[in-house]
Amino acid sequence: MNAGILGIGSYVPDRVVPNIALERATGFSDGWVRERLGIEQRRHCGAGEDVTTMAAQALVDACKRAGVAPGEIDALVTSTTTPRRLMPGLGADLIAEVGLDLRMAPVDVVGAGCAGAVGVLQLGESLVRSGAGTVAVVQSEASSALMDFDDIGPGEGLAATIFSDGACCWLLRQCREDTGLLYGSSRTDPAGYEGLALTGQDLHGFTMDAQAVKAFASNQVPALIRDLEAGSGIAVGQADLVLLHQANLRLIENVLSGLDVPMEKSCTTVQDLGNTVSASVGLTAARAADTGLLVPGATVFLAAFGAGWTTAGSVLRWCGKADFVD
């Protein structure tokens, strides 16, 4: 049996932060950000919100959409770069906040970064294949928690402009073998990976070589797609939808153009949500589902890339209710 996506939940804070609100702190004008990055605004946590509260909202939303009670979840995988604390992890907080009754201890991944948008989903897939009934994969990022906008140092303005807050939840369950997640691939090449790293608890410890990130994505994402094509036997040109990590709109446009995939075969959220790190692909998939782009039988390529110079991708056939195993 394969692992299929039973439902996707999402949550973003109500607090909208337009580019113009960050100009003085970051040094980047609204016009420059729109033209060079394609970002118009992003969301930041409000009072009383953090990585855990967003994760809980996304999980509850996924359960409602899928018609699943939280108590039916057997296993939980989480991903974040901005945890409340190192120990206990986000999974323990979610068990307490939502009232989960798991068959196994949660699996918490810290530091997967943007590639965790798909890489951690593959971990959830492996749990389903090993016998877990219903698996929740929750990715939550509160990047604004790293930022003091009264103390943005040299070289930190771009990161403060790009990164934002949000959470998603994928619910996975066994499905027929010709549906669901058909093939996945991931790879890490750590040569020079210091070009994208976070050391410490705030933005002062963040390093991002924008040119190195662009070169990495431009070279390695197409290589990932070719691997997915070879492994699945499906050409990306045959896909109904191609969803990429939402690094910035111009990078997405360049990668899709190089693959000869029109923008009409994709969906983006970076314009209004910014770069939500490991939550980005799930938030974008949730929007695609809400707007009717994801329908049963649709063939979808997912691709993410980021810290560690890691890429992770999956090919899936979107499930309908009849595709799941009771």
Side-chain angles (χ1 to χ4, degrees), residues 145-230:
L146 303 175
M147 304 171 189
D148 178 355
F149 288 98
D150 292 323
D151 185 25
I152 300 294
E156 298 169 2
L158 185 59
T161 299
I162 293 172
F163 294 107
S164 57
D165 303 346
C168 66
C169 174
W170 312 76
L171 290 181
L172 306 181
R173 186 176 285 177
Q174 284 189 349
C175 64
R176 294 188 298 108
E177 63 179 357
D178 58 341
T179 61
L181 290 150
L182 304 176
Y183 181 77
S185 176
S186 61
R187 182 174 184 270
T188 293
D189 180 1
Y193 70 163
E194 298 87 354
L196 184 61
L198 174 63
T199 303
Q201 300 298 312
D202 57 45
L203 200 60
H204 296 322
F206 184 73
T207 301
M208 181 173 65
D209 182 337
Q211 292 305 313
V213 172
K214 180 179 179 180
F216 157 67
S218 299
N219 292 326
Q220 295 306 314
V221 175
L224 171 66
I225 296 296
R226 301 310 176 204
D227 188 21
L228 295 176
E229 290 179 316

Side-chain angles (χ1 to χ4, degrees), residues 217-247:
S218 299
N219 292 326
Q220 295 306 314
V221 175
L224 171 66
I225 296 296
R226 301 310 176 204
D227 188 21
L228 295 176
E229 290 179 316
S232 67
I234 301 170
V236 70
Q238 297 174 300
D240 298 292
L241 197 61
V242 180
L243 301 179
L244 303 182
H245 164 56
Q246 303 292 291

Side-chain angles (χ1 to χ4, degrees), residues 75-90:
L76 172 66
V77 181
T78 74
S79 174
T80 186
T81 310
T82 55
R84 278 181 177 174
R85 67 184 84 80
L86 290 179
M87 182 180 68
L90 177 56

Side-chain angles (χ1 to χ4, degrees), residues 125-148:
E125 175 191 1
S126 70
L127 292 177
V128 173
R129 291 181 182 273
S130 67
T134 302
V135 177
V137 177
V138 180
Q139 294 137 321
S140 185
E141 303 285 0
S143 295
S144 65
L146 303 175
M147 304 171 189
D148 178 355

